[in-house]
Every structure is written in structure tokens, then in C-alpha cells.
Amino acid sequence: MGRLTVDLITKSSLHIKNRRDEPLDQYLKKLTHLNFSDKNIDEIGDLSACKNLCVLYLYDNNITQIHNLGFAFNLTHLYLQNNKITQITNLSLLQNLSKLYLGGNCISVVEELQGLTELRELHIENQRLPTGEKLLFDPRTLQSLKKSLCVLNIKKNNIDEIKEFACLENLNQFMAEENQIHDIKELEYVLSHWQKIWYLNLSGNPVCQQAKYRDKIMVMSTSLEVLDGKEVNNTARQFLLNWKAFRETKKKNAKEKTDEQEIQWKLDHPQIVRHQAPRNSPGIRKLRKPVVLLTKTPNLPNSESIGKYVLPPVLEARCMGDGMERIGSKPVEFLLLPSPRKEI
């Protein structure tokens, strides 16, 4: 059929019937819904006469570009799925748009949505991309949608990371079937930010093959009601939460007990603990001097130190003052031997 214009609308049998004898301008002005799906349309013409248009159905056509919709300030629903669109453009003026359907096109980057402050639903599933490529999201677009977006459909887009979607704080439905999502830790991260999520579908992703996948997801999100098309049983989730809390408490108690036992062992074996200390620790050298270095003094005349233990002269200068008198359980007394005099 080609180009969608006002003339095409007036020739439509449905609109001829609804219009009757009403003047064309008046009829177009009060038109709120327009359905030209599956009509071989490849271009959107001038529809500015339809000032109160709210819902526009243009799916299953051959449209390659989005344009001539800047007039539609009242447009809330736009259906453009299954066309040949390669780039998202000329939508920033649609400030009341709440639902946007772009699935089944050839879009490689989700962008240019910064002006859509009322957008609640974005359906961008199943893009026809070159082999090996994945759908990308402009960070600026995600930031602009973080307050408004509630539903995101990214099914079949070869996506392997979803951490960037954590900013969508009001998201309550996330459809991401048949992608390449594999990291359970990343899922835990995004779910910790999606406090309102109640519907989650990850069917067909590698992460679903991990052990106890469903149990883990149920514990990660207490708001979740439907997971992979199956209802979440609250009784089962509460049991899993209690079991998790029990295991964490048990692990914590075991660690505290181990720490207490280690401390008590150190108190009971202080000498071993001191010998295990690093060599470069302050004050440790005096504890590491072997007791066998002590030698017994010979009986010296006029000496009250007969039989007392001293260090050999060669070690006396190095060790005196290091506190070796504390070695062992009893104090050890030292006797300084006279240094040999040098002949001049």
C-alpha cells in the first residue's frame, strides 16, 4: 500500500463507515485510535490532522524509519513491531507515550528515548541482528528511564549481561528469555535493586542450568511472584529463607568458636606462640636466642658468682641488654668476664 496519509485514512472502509456525513477535519480531529497493521505500509506520512491520536497500530508492515509523529502529543501507545526499523529516532517529543512496542525489527542500539519521561513499557524483543551481535543500550537512555520504566522485554537478543539494568528502580516485570545470561551473582545484584519486581522470566538462559537455580532466585527476591512462567510458592520461599538464616547463624557460631579456641590455645602455649612470631617483630630477637649459648663460669677467686651462668665473651657484647634474663621460667644471672687487655 505504501505511504500512510490522511487520504489513505479517508478511503479506508472502516473510517468511511464511522465518518458518515461528518466533515473530514472534524472527524480526523476527534480520532483517537488508528489501526493500519499489516497493510504493506513502508512510510509514515503527514498525520498532523489527527491531533488527538492516542493509540497507533502499525505492526506487521515494512516501515524502515520512524518519522512524522512529532505532532502526536497525546499518543500513549505505539505499536511498531515486526517492521524493518534499524534505528530509534524522532520519538523524543512524545512526552505522554507510556507503551512502546518495537519487537521484531533490526535495531542494534536502544537510544534516543531521553524525552519519554512517562514511558512505562518498552518491548524490544527478538531483534534481527547479524550473527554474533547483541542488542546494546545507551546508558543515557537507561538513566532517563530509571524512574518511569516498569516493564522491559528483551527476549531473544543475545544479551549476556544485565547489570546495567539495575538502575531501573521501579521495574516490576522483566522478560529476558532465550538470551545468554549466565552469572548468578549478577542476577543477585540487579534483584537487590529491583525492590518491586514481581514477574521474572529467564527461561532458556545458561544460568537456568545451575544447581538450585530456582531456589536461589526465590531467596534473592522476596517480592517475586512469578518465575519463568511458574508461580512462586510463598511457603516454599519462607522455608528457604529460614534455612538460609539457620545456615548463616551456624557458620557464624562455628567461626566464633574456632576463634575462641585459637585464642585459648595461644594463652595456654605462650612460649610456642613467641617462637612462631616473625623474626623482624620488635623485641623478638631476645626470645629466639637459644639457651644453650649460656656457659658455666669457672671458679674465680674472690668471686661470689661461682657456678653462675654467663655468656661467652664473644656473645656478651651482642646480647647484653637484649633482655635475655627473661629466657626460661626462672631468672638467669650473668657475670661479665674481663676483656683481655691489648699490649701497647
Side-chain angles (χ1 to χ4, degrees), residues 132-187:
E133 290 191 12
K134 65 180 180 179
L135 182 65
L136 302 175
F137 283 77
D138 183 350
R140 293 170 296 181
T141 288
L142 289 175
Q143 285 298 317
S144 69
L145 298 176
K146 70 178 185 178
K147 297 287 187 182
S148 65
L149 200 66
C150 298
V151 179
L152 178 60
N153 185 351
I154 58 170
K155 178 181 178 180
K156 288 186 177 181
N157 282 313
N158 204 33
I159 293 173
D160 56 358
E161 296 180 354
I162 59 173
K163 192 174 182 178
E164 59 186 341
F165 302 128
C167 66
L168 304 174
E169 56 192 57
N170 287 311
L171 199 69
N172 57 50
Q173 297 180 59
F174 184 61
M175 291 80 86
E177 306 98 298
E178 300 183 54
N179 280 290
Q180 299 300 321
I181 301 168
H182 61 276
D183 192 346
I184 194 74
K185 291 293 184 181
E186 191 174 65
L187 269 174

Side-chain angles (χ1 to χ4, degrees), residues 97-151:
L97 191 66
S98 62
K99 295 185 180 182
L100 177 58
Y101 294 82
L102 290 169
N105 281 283
C106 306
I107 299 167
S108 58
V109 181
V110 179
E111 57 186 346
E112 300 296 330
L113 298 179
Q114 285 87 323
L116 308 184
T117 56
E118 297 298 319
L119 192 64
R120 299 288 183 269
E121 297 186 20
L122 176 59
H123 300 264
I124 194 78
E125 75 281 1
N126 197 26
Q127 296 302 307
R128 299 191 292 273
L129 300 172
T131 303
E133 290 191 12
K134 65 180 180 179
L135 182 65
L136 302 175
F137 283 77
D138 183 350
R140 293 170 296 181
T141 288
L142 289 175
Q143 285 298 317
S144 69
L145 298 176
K146 70 178 185 178
K147 297 287 187 182
S148 65
L149 200 66
C150 298
V151 179

